[in-house]
Amino acid sequence: MTETRLCRFEELKDPDSRGFEVELDGVTESILVVRRGGAVYGYVNRCPHAGSPLDWMPDQFLSLDQRHIQCATHAALFSIEAGECVAGPCVGDRLTPVSLGVVDGWVCLVGNTGTR
Ligand code: FES
């Protein structure tokens, strides 16, 4: 199994979000990482509604109250833990999850991947 380091876990506030460009199965993708408490969650940076990137500024993926991931285009709200849309034009749809882990204090992409 391949592990690709993205950032130090301690660099992320609680909560916090950050974007990365990575290679997933040989394809370059933009992904987002969200820290909440002791856990990290990762998704492809593409809204299931219209396919837009989710961030409104670099590394800004969370709603103002920081309780959800928010799409910048039409303001859909997604649960941080499951990536499910809970409000907005695509309720019930889900973000595409990315497999992450924390290894030796590093947030890592796990699987057949690489960073760019
Ligand atoms: S593109 Fe995300 S809510 Fe429309």
Side-chain angles (χ1 to χ4, degrees):
M1 187 180 330
T2 307
E3 293 167 358
T4 303
R5 291 177 172 181
L6 297 174
C7 66
R8 297 285 300 170
F9 180 78
E10 65 200 17
E11 291 173 30
L12 300 170
K13 298 178 304 232
D14 179 19
D16 202 1
S17 63
R18 194 169 292 187
F20 298 91
E21 295 290 314
V22 301
E23 224 174 83
L24 297 176
D25 297 325
V27 176
T28 301
E29 289 276 17
S30 171
I31 66 164
L32 64 128
V33 170
V34 177
R35 175 190 172 185
R36 180 186 258 178
V40 287
Y41 306 90
Y43 300 99
V44 173
N45 183 12
R46 189 180 311 116
C47 182
H49 178 227
S52 305
L54 296 155
D55 44 333
W56 53 278
M57 283 178 55
D59 299 328
Q60 302 296 316
F61 294 93
L62 297 178
S63 57
L64 279 179
D65 65 7
Q66 300 192 310
R67 294 176 55 214
H68 295 91
I69 296 165
Q70 184 163 30
C71 177
T73 305
H74 304 117
L77 295 173
F78 300 86
S79 76
I80 290 173
E81 292 81 3
E84 181 179 359
C85 182
V86 295
C90 49
V91 169
D93 285 351
R94 289 178 183 270
L95 301 173
T96 302
V98 173
S99 185
L100 296 181
V102 179
V103 181
D104 296 332
W106 287 89
V107 178
C108 294
L109 200 54
V110 179
N112 186 18
T113 57
T115 50
R116 281 177 37 107

